[in-house]
Amino acid sequence: VQLQASGGGLVQAGGSLRLSCAASGDISSRTDMAWYRQTPGKQRELVATITSDRSTNYANSVVGRFSISRDNSKNTVYLQMNSLKPEDTAVYYCYAVRRALSPKYDRESWGQGTLVTVSS
């Protein structure tokens, strides 16, 4: 599937943003989704994941502030970001992996990224 991320922007510390990731195909079956983020000079880091059965997991740095969700009827995943901090500033990428019966046939997709800037 192709992924289109949106919703980034400039926000003051303590503010909120909601990112959206729209997929071009059906994500309701066997498709796990995630959000990653990356800052210049650093490796891309996992922010949050949501599996096809809606199990979620978060990086320690965002626990209690970020929430990942999915609307399979719209083929869209969201990342609600509250209490934003300057250190949350990054390009946020949407990721999808469609699980096959054998992991070697899993298919991965990345979105183009959306910039989130948190001012102090």
Side-chain angles (χ1 to χ4, degrees), residues 25-84:
D26 181 18
I27 63 168
S28 63
S29 178
R30 304 179 65 87
T31 303
D32 299 338
M33 307 290 295
W35 286 95
Y36 285 76
R37 66 186 180 187
Q38 188 171 25
T39 54
K42 293 187 177 181
Q43 285 190 325
R44 194 169 294 188
E45 65 168 345
L46 180 63
V47 176
T49 63
I50 184 166
T51 64
S52 57
D53 62 359
R54 301 181 186 273
S55 295
T56 59
N57 196 27
Y58 298 91
N60 288 337
S61 59
V62 307
V63 168
R65 300 188 299 121
F66 290 12
S67 177
I68 189 170
S69 61
R70 63 193 294 162
D71 185 340
N72 290 339
S73 68
K74 296 181 179 179
N75 294 321
T76 300
V77 174
Y78 304 97
L79 184 68
Q80 178 66 45
M81 305 186 295
N82 299 326
S83 302
L84 282 161

